[in-house]
Amino acid sequence: MLNLLRGTHRLLSTVAKPYPFSKTALILPEPYVAPPAPLKEGRGLMPYLSKTLPTPEKQQILRNLFSRQSRNQLYPGSIITVTVDHAPMTFTGVLLAIRRRGPDTSFVVRNIIQRTGVEMQFFVNSPALKEIKLLQRPPKGRMRRAKLYYLRDSPEKMSMLAGNKKYQ
């Protein structure tokens, strides 16, 4: 009984704890390291959060167009127009894939320009992305696949999809 109390006393001490599988090994407590002064004052944390958290406009886009619970969500096979600000342009094409990862959500749009297939990947949280417009939903509401990469090999299917005609 006395040995049991000694063992309990030793386990409760903060100096050294015995390793449960060896009687000679001891586990020393980790020394306390104070956080750096700028982090204590909040100088490092707030600029980081303001850069990484989505703006209210981007949160609205994420909620309306990319949330699975939204009624207006985008489906692969939709025809969309994306407006980008850094090089003022719009890109219209077929939505091939959506990658839902919260603030890192991205999507791939494909179009055929001058007989050459052009794909662009857009990140929803990018400051360059200004607007996403849905021009046309896929036929029958949605496609049978989540990723429409097979359209890369068959441009006639993609053009039929853009014309809202049934293919196969």
Side-chain angles (χ1 to χ4, degrees):
M1 183 72 164
L2 188 59
N3 288 337
L4 182 63
L5 289 176
R6 276 190 202 146
T8 307
H9 175 69
R10 192 180 313 151
L11 286 175
L12 294 176
S13 79
T14 58
V15 177
K17 295 182 181 177
Y19 186 64
F21 302 108
S22 171
K23 295 184 182 197
T24 57
L26 294 176
I27 301 173
L28 298 175
E30 295 182 21
Y32 173 74
V33 178
L39 194 60
K40 272 186 181 178
E41 296 168 8
R43 276 190 263 151
L45 185 62
M46 290 312 290
Y48 171 76
L49 288 177
S50 65
K51 283 184 210 170
T52 57
L53 288 178
T55 62
E57 296 85 26
K58 302 295 179 173
Q59 289 177 359
Q60 180 85 13
I61 290 173
L62 282 168
R63 237 188 334 269
N64 287 343
L65 297 178
F66 294 99
S67 172
R68 291 191 191 272
Q69 288 81 26
S70 173
R71 204 173 263 205
N72 301 326
Q73 73 170 316
L74 293 178
Y75 291 106
S78 301
I79 298 176
I80 61 173
T81 298
V82 181
T83 306
V84 183
D85 192 37
H86 69 279
M89 67 165 220
T90 59
F91 188 79
T92 303
V94 177
L95 182 64
L96 289 188
I98 300 173
R99 181 180 173 269
R100 291 181 176 89
R101 297 291 184 276
D104 291 332
T105 297
S106 65
F107 55 97
V108 178
V109 181
R110 180 178 176 89
N111 197 355
I112 298 173
I113 300 172
Q114 296 178 358
R115 296 185 312 205
T116 304
V118 178
E119 282 186 13
M120 292 189 76
Q121 181 177 17
F122 297 99
F123 289 86
V124 177
N125 199 20
S126 170
L129 186 88
K130 290 300 169 197
E131 186 181 19
I132 302 169
K133 278 191 214 169
L134 175 67
L135 299 180
Q136 179 181 325
R137 293 209 176 268
K140 296 184 184 175
R142 59 183 223 159
M143 304 295 284
R144 289 177 174 251
R145 302 268 179 265
K147 310 282 192 249
L148 304 179
Y149 295 133
Y150 65 89
L151 292 177
R152 292 172 175 165
D153 300 327
S154 54
E156 65 278 352
K157 283 186 183 179
M158 199 173 111
S159 61
M160 284 185 208
L161 186 67
N164 204 7
K165 297 175 187 165
K166 187 178 178 184
Y167 60 88
Q168 291 176 351

